[in-house]
Amino acid sequence: QVQLVESGGGLVQAGGSLRLSCAASGSILRINTMGWYRQAPGKQREPVADITSAGTTNYADSVKGRFTISRDSAKNTAYLQMNSLKPEDTAVYYCNADILGFTLRVSQYWGQGTQVTIRS
């Protein structure tokens, strides 16, 4: 079994920063792409950023230049550094990962989500 556990959410003022972490654990042979999604109230879940096992990154236009995704492969952990936060960044942030498990199948996993609230 594989688990993704997010941490680091909270309430900050506009212009502030937060750092989210996503730790994967369990029956893992290899983690391919890791990413972050977010879902604001009344809206669909949307991709925020992702990072491949080779370190290639992608960002949503709305966060480019403000958010940075990184990973520590030795710790099976991904991070999302969020700077210059805006009220519109308020959402539940979910970690996502494509993981090759002991069954030799690649499956997609989601974390439970962490709330990020930006106060104007």
Side-chain angles (χ1 to χ4, degrees):
Q1 196 68 313
V2 173
Q3 281 190 318
L4 299 182
V5 178
E6 300 112 332
S7 60
L11 170 66
V12 297
Q13 297 271 31
S17 299
L18 282 173
R19 188 192 195 210
L20 306 183
S21 298
C22 170
S25 62
S27 304
I28 298 171
L29 286 179
R30 185 182 69 241
I31 302 177
N32 296 332
T33 299
M34 298 186 79
W36 291 93
Y37 286 68
R38 66 186 181 186
Q39 187 167 19
K43 295 187 177 181
Q44 289 189 330
R45 191 173 297 189
E46 62 178 8
V48 175
D50 63 54
I51 182 168
T52 69
S53 56
T56 300
T57 58
N58 293 287
Y59 296 93
D61 287 343
S62 59
V63 307
K64 281 181 181 176
R66 301 187 298 122
F67 291 11
T68 301
I69 189 170
S70 61
R71 64 191 286 176
D72 184 334
S73 295
K75 295 182 179 179
N76 287 340
T77 300
Y79 305 95
L80 186 68
Q81 177 66 44
M82 305 186 294
N83 298 328
S84 302
L85 284 161
K86 304 175 181 179
E88 50 263 46
D89 294 318
T90 295
V92 178
Y93 283 70
Y94 296 91
C95 179
N96 171 275
D98 292 328
I99 296 175
L100 175 67
F102 289 174
T103 59
L104 301 182
R105 293 173 55 190
V106 176
S107 299
Q108 188 174 80
Y109 294 89
W110 291 91
Q112 81 286 356
T114 185
Q115 177 69 47
V116 171
T117 303
I118 312 304
R119 186 166 54 194
S120 58

